[in-house]
Amino acid sequence: MSSARQKAGAVVTLAGVTALAPSVWQTATHITDETYRAPEARHGEGHVQYHMAREVLITAGSVGVLVMGVLAGQDRSRAVWRGMAAAAAGISTAMWSGGPTTGVWAPNRKAFLVHLASTAGLGVGVALLRPQAGHR
């Protein structure tokens, strides 16, 4: 893989991770926000907050995979790249899951732009980092 493509892929992937940060922070702050409790929830009023905590932790693990993949540089194997692709796809799918499930793609314009920037950065960046055919 060319050095220019490698650098561009790393920069764009890390830009996607950076763009993701406000959304993850927003979700993390809801975990302890009493207004996000749902007394009518069948599994208890804190169940929604539990899911937010789980989402934050899963996203943190996915971001870890992406960063480790970027740091692997030229030594990135196809298996590591596949892990990066799965992590980016999972994060991006979660970002946009509200649309088909609730009819709300993002709660406001800023959130929509965060979702768009992080999805684009992760998708393009990881695509640029894909090992060429014949690479282990």
Side-chain angles (χ1 to χ4, degrees):
M1 178 183 317
S2 75
S3 178
R5 181 176 168 179
Q6 178 82 17
K7 287 179 185 172
V11 167
V12 175
T13 300
L14 293 176
V17 167
T18 302
L20 175 68
S23 183
V24 176
W25 176 253
Q26 186 75 21
T27 302
T29 61
H30 295 333
I31 296 167
T32 57
D33 185 342
E34 291 299 316
T35 64
Y36 282 85
R37 297 184 76 73
E40 69 282 357
R42 181 179 43 176
H43 298 296
E45 66 180 29
H47 196 71
V48 172
Q49 292 166 309
Y50 157 77
H51 280 278
M52 289 179 188
R54 190 171 72 180
E55 180 182 339
V56 169
L57 292 170
I58 290 168
T59 302
S62 296
V63 166
V65 168
L66 290 161
V67 171
M68 288 189 302
V70 166
L71 294 175
Q74 296 288 352
D75 294 329
R76 184 180 316 99
S77 67
R78 292 188 76 69
V80 168
W81 180 83
R82 285 183 190 109
M84 292 176 71
I91 289 170
S92 298
T93 301
M95 283 280 193
W96 299 104
S97 64
T101 59
T102 68
V104 179
W105 292 95
N108 54 55
R109 181 177 289 232
K110 181 181 175 187
F112 182 82
L113 294 174
V114 165
H115 294 183
L116 191 61
S118 60
T119 299
L122 295 175
V124 171
V126 171
L128 287 170
L129 292 173
R130 183 171 185 238
Q132 302 300 307
H135 189 270
R136 53 185 174 114

